[in-house]
Amino acid sequence: YCGSRHLASTLGAIHRARGRLGRLEVQRTAVHGCLCPHHVYIRDGVVSGVDDWGLGAPCGEPLRDLGGFAIRQAAARLPDVVAERTPQAYLLRDFVGAGLETLGLPADRWRDVLVLAQAEYAVDALDRGHVDEIRLLAAAVNALPREQGEPEAARP
């Protein structure tokens, strides 16, 4: 999709998010590898367990698990989440922000985590011939608030 006019703003948002997160030092830690609501058990509002560690690693990228869980939870409502239009959006923003703070990172980078997680998910889906996830990524990017310093031409 490099050079695609239809995805120019999406690719630009991915590039900017990657640049912002790439400047941060993220401690590698044990990761699940496929953290989603199906693998997480919650009791009394607290995570009580996580199963299926087949893709886990003792030293991996924790932002993948954090972002992957959030985008799977948001699903088709991802554009509403990044635009903070629903109560679920605030819950996911706070969840990702708390995860970032736990890692010693700025909580306000939560949208970057979601954009990059959805980009990775979309690329995996494209490898299987599915385009819905790239469309969802584009819709989420279009719902992002205008970023400071973003070129006017980058937005539809």
Side-chain angles (χ1 to χ4, degrees), residues 110-134:
W110 67 275
R111 285 187 178 101
D112 292 333
V113 171
L114 295 182
V115 166
L116 293 176
Q118 183 62 32
E120 184 171 38
Y121 198 52
V123 167
D124 289 343
L126 285 173
D127 284 345
R128 295 185 312 277
H130 302 138
V131 297
D132 290 343
E133 298 303 328
I134 195 80

Side-chain angles (χ1 to χ4, degrees), residues 96-114:
V96 175
L100 287 166
E101 286 178 341
T102 298
L103 293 166
L105 303 171
D108 66 350
R109 298 282 44 115
W110 67 275
R111 285 187 178 101
D112 292 333
V113 171
L114 295 182

Side-chain angles (χ1 to χ4, degrees), residues 65-147:
D65 274 352
L66 182 63
F69 181 85
I71 63 163
R72 288 177 180 101
Q73 191 69 35
R77 296 177 307 274
L78 184 59
D80 291 332
V81 171
V82 299
E84 295 183 278
R85 291 192 277 240
T86 65
Q88 181 193 29
Y90 299 118
L91 290 173
L92 287 173
R93 175 202 61 200
D94 293 347
F95 169 79
V96 175
L100 287 166
E101 286 178 341
T102 298
L103 293 166
L105 303 171
D108 66 350
R109 298 282 44 115
W110 67 275
R111 285 187 178 101
D112 292 333
V113 171
L114 295 182
V115 166
L116 293 176
Q118 183 62 32
E120 184 171 38
Y121 198 52
V123 167
D124 289 343
L126 285 173
D127 284 345
R128 295 185 312 277
H130 302 138
V131 297
D132 290 343
E133 298 303 328
I134 195 80
R135 289 180 181 146
L136 181 58
L137 173 61
V141 166
N142 286 334
L144 288 169
R146 177 171 299 293
E147 296 175 4

Side-chain angles (χ1 to χ4, degrees), residues 23-99:
R23 289 189 288 269
L24 303 174
E25 186 174 330
V26 180
Q27 293 291 324
R28 294 175 67 82
T29 186
V31 295
H32 184 270
C34 183
L35 194 61
C36 66
H38 301 287
H39 298 304
V40 177
Y41 297 95
I42 298 175
R43 182 181 302 149
D44 299 325
V46 176
V47 174
S48 61
V50 177
D51 71 3
D52 191 2
W53 285 80
L55 297 175
C59 187
E61 299 288 338
L63 295 183
R64 281 196 164 119
D65 274 352
L66 182 63
F69 181 85
I71 63 163
R72 288 177 180 101
Q73 191 69 35
R77 296 177 307 274
L78 184 59
D80 291 332
V81 171
V82 299
E84 295 183 278
R85 291 192 277 240
T86 65
Q88 181 193 29
Y90 299 118
L91 290 173
L92 287 173
R93 175 202 61 200
D94 293 347
F95 169 79
V96 175

Side-chain angles (χ1 to χ4, degrees), residues 5 7-10 12-13 16 141-142 146 149-156:
R5 286 180 7 104
L7 290 177
S9 63
T10 302
R16 288 187 298 279
V141 166
N142 286 334
R146 177 171 299 293
E150 181 182 5
E152 185 70 30
R155 298 296 282 203

